[in-house]
Amino acid sequence: QVSLTESGGGSVQAGGSLRLSCAASENIHTYDRYCMGWFRRVPGKEREGVATINSEGNIIYADSVKGRFTISMDNAKGTLYLQTTNLKPEDSARYYCAARFAQTWRCNFASGMDYWGIGTPVTISP
């Protein structure tokens, strides 16, 4: 069982930046490969994928965040990051970190994740 803990959310004005972090439990290092990602959800709406990254170096971004968000993984620390810039009010949501350690070559928003964090809130004011 892997636990994921997000941090870094907050309230900023439009145009601002936030760096979200997702710290995985120590046992993540027992896995050779991973598929990890950031998702977000607004109350009353479906969860949507923001970005995914796998151990093979493949990265996918949602069209709505391309050019503004950057996903990265510090393998030594077992920590996933999401650097956000030029934030917009429509980016406001609860952001979740997720992971899977099987079939990691298939890593996208619809491929399914096995482990989830509890999320961190992001609020962008106009």
Side-chain angles (χ1 to χ4, degrees):
Q1 190 79 7
V2 174
S3 63
L4 304 171
T5 304
E6 303 95 334
S7 62
S11 300
V12 298
Q13 289 187 323
S17 302
L18 286 171
R19 188 195 195 201
L20 307 185
S21 299
C22 171
S25 52
E26 275 294 316
N27 57 353
I28 191 175
H29 295 296
T30 64
Y31 297 99
D32 293 330
R33 299 181 182 278
Y34 60 81
C35 165
M36 298 190 72
W38 289 97
F39 296 76
R40 65 188 182 187
R41 174 177 276 165
V42 174
K45 294 187 177 181
E46 288 190 3
R47 182 179 63 206
E48 64 173 344
V50 176
T52 60
I53 184 170
N54 67 6
S55 47
E56 289 78 8
N58 299 309
I59 293 176
I60 296 175
Y61 292 104
D63 288 342
S64 59
V65 306
K66 282 181 180 176
R68 300 188 298 122
F69 291 11
T70 302
I71 189 172
S72 62
M73 179 68 179
D74 186 324
N75 294 318
K77 294 183 178 180
T79 301
L80 181 72
Y81 299 99
L82 185 70
Q83 179 66 54
T84 69
T85 63
N86 191 21
L87 285 162
K88 304 175 181 180
E90 51 265 41
D91 293 319
S92 297
R94 192 168 188 88
Y95 283 69
Y96 298 88
C97 170
R100 190 179 76 247
F101 303 101
Q103 296 186 331
T104 60
W105 51 270
R106 188 171 59 89
C107 189
N108 54 59
F109 300 145
S111 58
M113 297 292 190
D114 295 325
Y115 301 97
W116 293 85
I118 63 172
T120 185
V122 171
T123 303
I124 312 303
S125 56

